Amino acid sequence: AEHQHVRYNPLRDDWVLVSAHRVKRPWQGQLEKPPPEDVPRWDPKNPLCPGATRASGEVNPNYEGTFVFPNDFPALQPDAPEPDDSDHPLFQAAPARGVCKVMCFHPWSDLTLPLMSLPEIRAVIDAWAKLATELGASYPWVQIFENKGAMMGCSNPHPHCQVWASSFLPNEACLEDRTQRQHLSQHGVPMLLEYAEQEACRKERLVVENADWLVVVPYWATWPYQTLLLPRHHVCRLQDLSDSEKDSLASIMQRLLIKYDNLFEVSFPYSMGWHGAPTGPYLEEDCRHWQLHAHYYPPLLRSATVRKFMVGYEMLAQAQRDLTPEQAAERLRSLPEVHYK
């Protein structure tokens, strides 16, 4: 807790520098603006609201639950042409095709996941699983992710996430596939199943838990209050969860996200995403080395206005964090599970 050291991340096969004493240094850098508290519940000019007109000219239905539609500005398209052949190994390109969807969690713009009811969160999980199944029938990778808050690049306060399906395995997927495959081969047990069992026993990085899930600040965390959401039992993909596991997932997500908001009494910004076994052609392959999990990467460090910057040493050498994962977990663990609002 007092002396710098490096920790190994077996999931990414890299290291992070832990320098807990640095959080004591005075801060005269950038201060972020807290998120707005006066978001209107419905705004006809907001393209994610029920009945609003989007940039494509499409009019949203007057939806009352979740709502999924094609991204009007997709990063991936299903009919993109192949790039020209490379004339040198240092200048390689490959085909990239896919689809991008947007999913609204709720019709109200002023409601975030921690403020939603358990049935409403469960509906989000069901929609995630449905999309993972539908898109995963043909695409090798389906990335479900949520950018929450302007600090994490979210351009619209309405509660929503994105789902991108790609014709290729992205870098992080390839990396986690390799490391988890190696661990199963060498140790005979999926890496993150073994890791969840270890963290459940040690408890020093545990934030919340229930019968099916646990949330920890991982031993190798990079972001200050980064967490890892893990099943207690072996499950490869989101769509493989039972009804009871989805119910308990809704509960533990709500508990975690309430703690996040309570930390600095602000709508807590983060980027999160699900990682599970590849799909499409991989559905016919042995993917037992995979364990479903969700990453939460929040940027805030000291307060609602002071964030952690990944610059300089982090960009040019390796990741570095300013408090230990154990300190972060203890602080999150001690927070109430009743929302400050």
Side-chain angles (χ1 to χ4, degrees):
E2 296 298 327
H3 303 287
Q4 68 268 16
H5 58 281
V6 292
R7 296 190 184 192
Y8 180 63
N9 181 347
L11 193 58
R12 299 197 73 259
D13 190 23
D14 63 9
W15 294 79
V16 57
L17 172 62
V18 182
S19 310
H21 56 282
R22 276 174 54 84
V23 79
K24 299 174 184 177
R25 73 193 193 279
W27 182 259
Q28 295 180 327
Q30 178 172 320
L31 297 179
E32 307 293 336
K33 291 182 179 180
E37 297 280 350
D38 57 347
V39 176
R41 180 155 291 183
W42 182 81
D43 181 354
K45 297 180 182 178
N46 186 330
L48 298 186
C49 281
T53 302
R54 304 199 309 274
S56 63
E58 294 286 328
V59 177
N60 297 334
N62 289 312
Y63 63 92
E64 298 180 351
T66 59
F67 170 51
V68 178
F69 63 91
N71 194 314
D72 295 323
F73 302 96
L76 293 164
Q77 296 176 324
D79 53 357
E82 294 198 13
D84 295 335
D85 292 335
S86 173
D87 61 356
H88 192 281
L90 293 179
F91 302 93
Q92 296 187 48
R97 299 185 179 93
V99 296
C100 298
K101 304 239 180 218
V102 176
M103 188 180 108
C104 295
F105 296 153
H106 196 278
W108 295 356
S109 292
D110 59 343
L111 206 63
T112 56
L113 279 171
L115 295 171
M116 289 167 58
S117 69
L118 287 177
E120 288 168 338
I121 298 173
R122 169 62 196 268
V124 170
I125 294 167
D126 286 338
W128 282 343
K130 182 180 179 183
L131 279 171
T133 301
E134 291 175 354
L135 297 174
S138 54
Y139 286 102
W141 190 254
V142 180
Q143 184 59 65
I144 299 168
F145 65 97
E146 178 193 5
N147 294 325
K148 180 171 178 258
M151 197 182 301
M152 295 308 289
C154 183
S155 60
N156 192 310
H158 194 94
H160 71 285
C161 72
Q162 297 190 56
V163 183
W164 294 11
S166 61
S167 61
F168 55 91
L169 285 188
N171 294 341
E172 293 296 312
C174 286
L175 187 53
E176 289 193 4
D177 185 71
R178 174 176 64 81
T179 58
Q180 290 181 97
R181 188 184 298 275
Q182 284 179 337
H183 189 92
L184 181 64
S185 175
Q186 294 171 3
H187 302 280
V189 61
M191 178 199 294
L192 292 181
L193 182 60
E194 182 178 9
Y195 179 67
E197 292 171 350
Q198 285 289 319
E199 290 286 29
C201 292
R202 295 170 186 254
K203 296 193 181 301
E204 57 187 332
R205 285 169 295 274
L206 190 65
V207 178
V208 287
E209 62 179 331
N210 62 24
D212 298 312
W213 302 87
L214 71 158
V215 176
V216 300
V217 177
Y219 178 78
W220 52 79
T222 298
W223 294 92
Y225 292 97
Q226 175 181 335
T227 55
L228 184 63
L229 172 56
L230 294 164
R232 289 183 179 272
H233 311 292
H234 188 210
V235 56
C236 289
R237 300 177 177 92
L238 191 65
Q239 53 267 46
D240 298 336
L241 296 175
S242 67
D243 283 341
S244 63
E245 287 170 331
K246 291 176 183 176
D247 285 339
S248 57
L249 174 57
S251 173
I252 205 163
M253 282 176 54
Q254 184 188 61
R255 293 168 64 196
L256 169 65
L257 297 179
I258 286 175
K259 283 180 177 288
Y260 268 163
D261 280 10
N262 285 346
L263 179 60
F264 298 128
E265 294 195 350
V266 69
S267 185
F268 205 67
Y270 59 75
S271 285
M272 72 80 64
W274 285 99
H275 282 174
T279 49
Y282 294 90
L283 292 170
E284 304 300 321
E285 296 189 8
D286 184 358
C287 290
R288 287 176 299 163
H289 55 290
W290 270 91
Q291 174 75 328
L292 176 70
H293 58 284
H295 296 283
Y296 285 83
Y297 298 130
L300 292 178
L301 172 60
R302 299 173 183 231
S303 69
T305 60
V306 178
R307 65 175 298 173
K308 166 67 178 178
F309 286 91
M310 291 292 183
V311 295
Y313 189 86
E314 291 88 351
M315 295 176 71
L316 297 166
Q318 69 181 33
Q320 178 268 331
R321 60 179 291 117
D322 300 293
L323 75 166
T324 68
E326 295 75 27
Q327 291 168 333
E330 182 179 11
R331 188 164 184 192
L332 288 172
R333 188 168 54 243
S334 66
L335 291 166
E337 295 186 10
V338 177
H339 199 277
Y340 74 93
K341 284 191 174 182

